[in-house]
Amino acid sequence: MKKVDIFPAMETIRGLRNIQPPLRGVTLTIGNFDGVHLGHRALIAKCINASRHNSSASAVLTFDPHPLEILQPQGNFLRIFPINDLKEQLALLGVTHLVVEPFSEELAQMEPEVFWENRVQAFLEPREVVVGYDFGFGSGRAGNLDFLRSLSSRYGFDLSVMPPFRHKGDIVSSTLIRGLIGLGKVREVREFLGRCFEISGTVVKGRQLGRQLGFPTANLGSPRTLLPPYGVYLTKFSLSDGQAWPSITNVGEAPTVGGKESGPRIETHILENLSEELYNQEVRVSFYEFSRPERKFSDIEALKTQMRIDVEGAKLFWEGQRNKLGLK
């Protein structure tokens, strides 16, 4: 018997006008979905369930760059996760189509009616639109729920609005999660994301000072995503093939050894001896606990003493976590 793939591979399309031929009759949700937190997951699940009821494709429409990068360039906006993480998470959730619409000043100035008619309606022709209670897009967020209701009547699609998603009494939002990351509360972030806050990137060759101090590190440089406050964190270090090890990570500028000139770095010490070459490998660092702030020590020996204390504390923590996290 031929195996049926219940969740076929997700198709990613760059730009609505590149959908050829148009999809027609999709069940659609729209948003930035930065972080794909618990609220996003509930909304996407609602969209997927509706698509199955409608016997239609499930489509997510998002924007890249993030609109705030264009609308507020002075704010140095950074995503919680890179756009590739969004692609990965949506595929895991079972979305069939992801449409990434390039965002620009021109698009920002486009009237919501024009955008909807010439792009969304023309290339997706949704049968049902599923959005959150705070939905809005376009200049001044004029494309709000009232706007969608008028389009629903005009074009004949169903409109479903999801109420706020709460966890422990708080409305889950990217803004809330950003605030927690900014405070270094990575354990709390994990609760609202439904997974760890992570930083991914390619291992680059550093100054090898960690090796000289007896604590070799894998260095990720400065990722173009949100960073927690400078400090030491208990982390999991994972390779793209799924191998993972307990680790401890310093986020910061290594002030004791004069690392300031290179900007913030992600330096991870794996708590096991590895023979594997890590340079140029794509890796992921998952943050579980905040350990201590980064600080400048009086000399190298004081730094080494603190590093030994940090590592011993991390080993104790990870001994209790090893089995349930699938670590080596």
Side-chain angles (χ1 to χ4, degrees):
M1 181 180 293
K2 184 179 179 182
K3 183 179 178 181
V4 177
D5 188 357
I6 299 175
F7 299 112
M10 183 180 75
E11 181 179 359
T12 300
I13 306 158
R14 182 74 178 179
L16 285 158
R17 288 180 289 194
N18 289 323
I19 303 175
Q20 297 296 339
L23 283 173
R24 308 293 187 204
V26 303
T27 301
L28 173 69
T29 188
I30 308 169
N32 294 309
F33 302 109
D34 189 18
V36 197
H37 55 59
L38 291 179
H40 291 150
R41 290 170 185 271
L43 178 62
I44 291 162
K46 185 178 179 69
C47 178
I48 292 172
N49 289 335
S51 75
R52 291 173 182 161
H53 178 76
N54 295 334
S55 299
S56 70
S58 57
V60 172
L61 172 60
T62 193
F63 303 91
D64 183 51
H66 192 289
L68 289 180
E69 295 180 60
I70 303 298
L71 299 175
Q72 300 178 16
Q74 71 283 358
N76 297 317
F77 177 88
L78 294 172
R79 286 182 179 271
I80 299 173
F81 290 104
I83 191 71
N84 282 342
D85 177 82
L86 174 61
K87 297 175 184 178
E88 178 183 315
Q89 294 300 315
L90 293 182
L92 289 172
L93 290 171
V95 171
T96 61
H97 293 81
L98 169 63
V99 183
V100 182
E101 184 72 3
F103 196 84
S104 62
E105 290 186 9
E106 177 187 1
L107 185 64
Q109 294 169 6
M110 187 180 296
E111 291 296 329
E113 293 89 345
V114 175
F115 175 75
W116 192 275
E117 181 176 355
N118 292 347
R119 301 202 186 181
V120 178
Q121 195 64 31
F123 293 96
L124 293 174
E125 198 176 300
R127 176 173 177 177
E128 183 170 352
V129 176
V130 182
V131 294
Y133 72 101
D134 58 348
F135 178 83
F137 75 95
S139 178
R141 293 177 66 85
N144 54 24
L145 290 179
D146 287 338
F147 170 77
L148 284 185
R149 290 187 184 102
S150 68
L151 292 178
S152 172
S153 298
R154 186 187 312 171
Y155 293 110
F157 61 78
D158 294 328
L159 176 63
S160 297
V161 180
M162 185 169 174
F165 184 90
R166 296 180 182 271
H167 178 69
K168 293 186 174 180
D170 291 314
I171 296 176
V172 181
S173 68
S174 296
T175 300
L176 171 67
I177 291 166
R178 285 176 171 280
L180 291 172
I181 293 171
L183 295 172
K185 295 184 176 182
V186 293
R187 184 197 304 176
E188 291 86 344
V189 169
R190 188 164 73 245
E191 292 187 18
F192 289 98
L193 277 178
R195 58 183 173 134
C196 281
F197 170 68
E198 297 176 342
I199 296 174
S200 57
T202 304
V203 177
V204 298
K205 193 164 186 177
R207 294 175 296 168
Q208 299 187 315
L209 291 174
R211 189 181 303 276
Q212 295 172 30
L213 296 172
F215 300 93
T217 60
N219 304 316
L220 297 190
S222 300
R224 286 292 301 163
T225 49
L226 202 62
L227 295 181
Y230 289 178
V232 176
Y233 296 83
L234 306 181
T235 54
K236 181 175 72 172
F237 183 89
S238 306
L239 302 183
S240 57
D241 64 5
Q243 293 187 82
W245 296 270
S247 59
I248 187 167
T249 297
N250 187 80
V251 178
E253 297 175 337
T256 306
V257 292
K260 204 167 190 176
E261 73 280 355
S262 60
R265 300 182 67 85
I266 315 299
E267 300 177 310
T268 299
H269 172 67
I270 299 167
L271 302 179
E272 315 232 344
N273 293 323
L274 296 186
S275 58
E276 187 162 357
E277 178 61 66
L278 296 176
Y279 290 133
N280 299 319
Q281 289 214 46
E282 291 295 319
V283 302
R284 182 173 299 178
V285 179
S286 306
F287 288 68
Y288 281 82
E289 298 278 344
F290 173 76
S291 181
R292 65 170 177 84
E294 183 182 56
R295 65 186 179 91
K296 185 173 183 178
F297 293 90
S298 57
D299 53 40
I300 295 298
E301 286 306 312
L303 171 61
K304 289 170 67 175
T305 297
Q306 183 60 58
M307 291 173 75
R308 283 192 288 270
I309 294 170
D310 292 338
V311 167
E312 287 307 310
K315 286 180 177 178
L316 287 174
F317 172 80
W318 285 116
E319 279 305 313
Q321 303 288 320
R322 187 181 298 272
N323 289 336
K324 63 183 177 181
L325 294 176
L327 296 165
K328 286 183 172 290

